[in-house]
Amino acid sequence: MLKRDPKINSSLEQLISSIKNSKIYRNYEEASREVSKEPGLQERIDEYRRNNFLIQQNNEGEELLQKLEEFELETAAFRYEPLVDKFLCAERDFVRLKQDIDNKMLSELEFAVPAGF
């Protein structure tokens, strides 16, 4: 689809370039490179992220808060490792940037979604 509209494709390329040149993305890339140099660290981070995701998807209300508190206590030492913290903070910032971009586009463009979706 993008190939059919050179103006949109060009604008998208500019947006991608801006994101890649942003401090947020550069911090994320740097943290990712540092993590990849430590054997097994990416796998440990992925397991942490997977477990955090599962807790959030499978619980709600007070149970969610309790499970998250337990998870935070269990993983506190891991989170305090400087490289782990650096990566997770950089990833969080990058994800928020992407969400902000997505939300801005959705708020500016009319797109009707049927109820229940």
Side-chain angles (χ1 to χ4, degrees), residues 30-115:
E30 178 185 336
S32 294
R33 280 191 302 276
E34 290 177 26
V35 164
S36 70
K37 293 176 184 176
E38 298 293 324
L41 185 56
Q42 185 65 59
E43 291 78 10
R44 291 174 50 215
I45 289 172
D46 290 346
E47 181 180 351
Y48 168 88
R49 292 160 63 216
R50 185 174 22 265
N51 290 337
N52 186 20
F53 175 80
L54 289 172
I55 289 170
Q56 293 185 40
Q57 293 301 306
N58 296 319
N59 300 281
E60 54 186 48
E62 285 297 317
E63 184 180 19
L64 172 60
L65 296 176
Q66 180 183 353
K67 296 277 187 182
L68 283 174
E69 187 175 317
E70 291 169 5
F71 181 69
E72 287 176 17
L73 289 172
E74 292 170 6
T75 60
F78 179 65
R79 277 299 313 254
Y80 286 128
E81 291 182 31
L83 188 50
V84 170
D85 184 60
K86 179 179 180 178
F87 174 82
L88 291 173
C89 288
E91 179 185 57
R92 177 203 60 215
D93 292 345
F94 176 56
V95 168
R96 285 184 181 162
L97 173 64
K98 185 184 173 307
Q99 289 171 335
D100 287 349
I101 292 167
D102 291 345
N103 289 337
K104 179 68 173 173
M105 286 187 359
L106 287 174
S107 72
E108 296 292 326
L109 301 170
E110 290 186 37
F111 182 70
V113 178

Side-chain angles (χ1 to χ4, degrees), residues 15-23 25-26:
L15 175 60
I16 291 168
S17 178
S18 294
I19 292 168
K20 285 182 174 181
N21 289 313
S22 72
K23 184 176 181 181
Y25 188 75
R26 288 192 322 263

